[in-house]
Amino acid sequence: MRVDPVPPGDPAVGAPSVIDTRGRAMRDLRISVTDRCTFRCVYCMPKDVYGRDHAFLPRSDVLSFEEITRLARIAVDHGIEKIRLTGGEPLLRKDLPVLVAQLSTLTTPSGQLVDLALTTNGALLAQQAERLRAAGLRRVTVSLDSLDDATFMAMNDVGFPVAKVLHGIDAALEAGLGPVKVNMVVKRGHNDQDIVPMARHFAGTGVILRFIEYMDVGTTNGWRLEHVVPSAEVVARIDAELPLEAVPAQYPAATSTRWRYRDGSGEIGVISSVTQAFCHTCTRVRISTDGKLFTCLFATGGHDLRALIRGGASDEDLADAMSTIWHSRTDRYSEARGAAEPLGAGGHRIEMSYIGG
Ligand code: SAM
Ligand code: SF4
Ligand code: SF4
């Protein structure tokens, strides 16, 4: 695999880097372990598309734990420092702690353990938190869009109650999976009235609440710009009630802009993928449930690593494939979104539940 010099200012000095056409290193790997979910969030898996007869991937198409771990190990050898398990709903994947145990022992060339995290809707977290922690998971992010049952049930669209997710968050904290982050996707007219109540609820708890601008991922969620609540508005609404001040970014590729409460009761983050795109620092690569490598959330196609693995490719072949794909990466969808001819327009963009958030 061709390895480039470490870019200036890169936090991981000494680690080999694979650099794309815009000078961005490959650093964060998101692995989707299932395309299935028990929720039907309106912004992700709308019921009219993901109905009873929806064809999810057959088991034979899904990467095995050994295949996932092999790809992850090769990626970690070539610059990946963080791995996030996602989906679909990752806790639906049978025996997930077995995979966590395999991934949690991966070390970077500079000898650091990989930073292993998971994003979940929290429904099954209470019963799995201890086992996941024992297997080596470090942190979890839990998605929760409202504290009001009627609003939350309308957003997850399967009538799932808030209390069970809160219970999952508590279990994660007790198991030592902190700091726990909570992701709230804000959709205007659906849950934006809950911005301040959510902030109040989690202030002082140590949980970091992050507000995500509703994105036009995939082609099924009926996204419209007027549904997006800009992060600046989210911050202003909270600041009016719970005064905030900006916190400097922890590392250059951070997706979230941090704010802390002036009274010392913690911090929040805003992820402004629509109004302040951060493609220029995007170091994320994704592997879908069926083993395709995607260099952008808004890609129209992936690169079939599973075919290479099952065709007998060596580790070197797989490393070369990943490197070649990353070297030619030009993605900057979100930065081009407002352009007259947005990138990816007209193509069949992949869905969030398949590629992982
Ligand atoms: N099922 C898990 C969950 O919901 O946390 C993991 C997968 S989910 C696809 C990952 C994250 O993507 C979640 O925090 C979810 O809220 C977010 N997400 C899904 N669709 C989105 C959209 N259209 N815009 C912004 N965020 C979205
Ligand atoms: Fe499921 Fe997560 Fe998508 Fe909601 S956001 S439908 S919980 S995969
Ligand atoms: Fe990264 Fe693509 Fe999102 Fe830009 S649009 S931040 S390149 S995933």
Side-chain angles (χ1 to χ4, degrees):
M1 174 188 263
R2 197 171 98 221
V3 164
D4 300 285
V6 177
D10 194 293
V13 177
S17 297
V18 185
I19 307 295
D20 73 6
T21 61
R22 298 179 188 274
R24 300 167 295 189
M26 189 175 79
R27 287 272 177 255
D28 307 274
L29 173 61
R30 296 184 179 211
I31 303 171
S32 174
V33 294
T34 177
D35 60 336
R36 290 159 200 262
C37 188
T38 48
F39 285 14
R40 287 293 177 270
C41 302
V42 291
Y43 49 73
C44 180
M45 296 179 80
K47 248 185 195 163
D48 52 345
V49 180
Y50 293 88
R52 280 185 203 287
D53 52 353
H54 181 78
F56 289 98
L57 290 169
R59 187 177 294 189
S60 57
D61 280 4
V62 173
L63 285 190
S64 68
F65 288 171
E66 286 63 36
E67 288 169 331
I68 292 174
T69 304
R70 184 173 173 212
L71 289 176
R73 178 174 47 73
I74 293 167
V76 168
D77 281 345
H78 294 87
I80 291 295
E81 295 165 344
K82 295 182 173 199
I83 297 180
R84 180 168 291 277
L85 299 176
T86 176
E89 174 45 44
L91 299 188
L92 287 179
R93 179 79 188 246
K94 194 165 173 279
D95 296 328
L96 190 70
V98 174
L99 176 66
V100 166
Q102 290 174 12
L103 295 176
S104 66
T105 59
L106 296 177
T107 49
T108 66
S110 55
Q112 278 182 319
L113 274 180
V114 75
D115 182 12
L116 184 61
L118 172 126
T119 304
T120 172
N121 63 22
L124 299 169
L125 191 53
Q127 63 214 67
Q128 295 195 27
E130 281 288 350
R131 268 186 80 208
L132 290 165
R133 180 69 188 120
L137 188 69
R138 299 235 214 137
R139 290 176 294 111
V140 289
T141 299
V142 182
S143 304
L144 177 63
D145 297 327
S146 174
L147 291 168
D148 173 69
D149 259 335
T151 307
F152 184 53
M153 287 177 180
M155 284 191 86
N156 65 53
D157 213 9
V158 292
F160 199 85
V162 173
K164 282 198 178 168
V165 181
L166 294 177
H167 189 41
I169 293 171
D170 288 343
L173 289 167
E174 274 164 38
L177 287 168
V180 173
K181 292 178 184 158
V182 168
N183 279 354
M184 172 178 176
V185 175
V186 184
K187 189 171 178 195
R188 195 182 295 283
H190 290 243
N191 65 340
D192 57 313
Q193 71 283 1
D194 297 317
I195 293 170
V196 174
M198 284 280 282
R200 275 194 203 288
H201 181 86
F202 288 108
T205 64
V207 168
I208 302 169
L209 177 59
R210 302 177 334 151
F211 298 88
I212 305 182
E213 286 179 352
Y214 173 39
M215 287 188 282
D216 48 338
V217 202
T219 48
T220 59
N221 64 10
W223 182 88
R224 294 208 313 267
L225 188 58
E226 57 264 37
H227 289 147
V228 178
V229 179
S231 292
E233 182 182 330
V234 170
V235 170
R237 285 209 216 174
I238 297 171
D239 183 54
E241 311 233 359
L242 304 163
L244 291 168
E245 61 190 5
V247 182
Q250 244 165 348
Y251 68 106
T255 51
S256 159
T257 308
R258 299 165 63 204
W259 294 81
R260 69 180 151 231
Y261 296 112
R262 287 181 189 268
D263 69 2
S265 56
E267 68 175 71
I268 60 158
V270 287
I271 302 180
S272 320
S273 338
V274 178
T275 61
Q276 273 189 294
F278 35 77
C279 301
H280 55 290
T281 57
C282 178
T283 55
R284 284 175 297 284
V285 62
R286 295 176 161 86
I287 296 178
S288 64
T289 312
D290 57 351
K292 295 208 174 73
L293 187 104
F294 290 89
T295 56
C296 179
L297 197 49
F298 296 89
T300 50
H303 306 265
D304 196 351
L305 297 181
R306 191 193 65 199
L308 292 180
I309 295 184
R310 296 187 184 173
S314 66
D315 284 2
E316 177 90 315
D317 296 335
L318 291 167
D320 276 344
M322 279 188 214
S323 156
T324 304
I325 293 162
W326 193 266
H327 274 302
S328 58
R329 176 183 189 242
T330 57
D331 303 295
R332 50 183 288 276
Y333 175 86
S334 287
E335 286 179 352
R337 185 185 273 115
E341 278 185 53
L343 304 173
H348 185 79
R349 295 198 306 258
I350 33 133
E351 298 297 323
M352 186 79 131
S353 55
Y354 161 74
I355 197 179

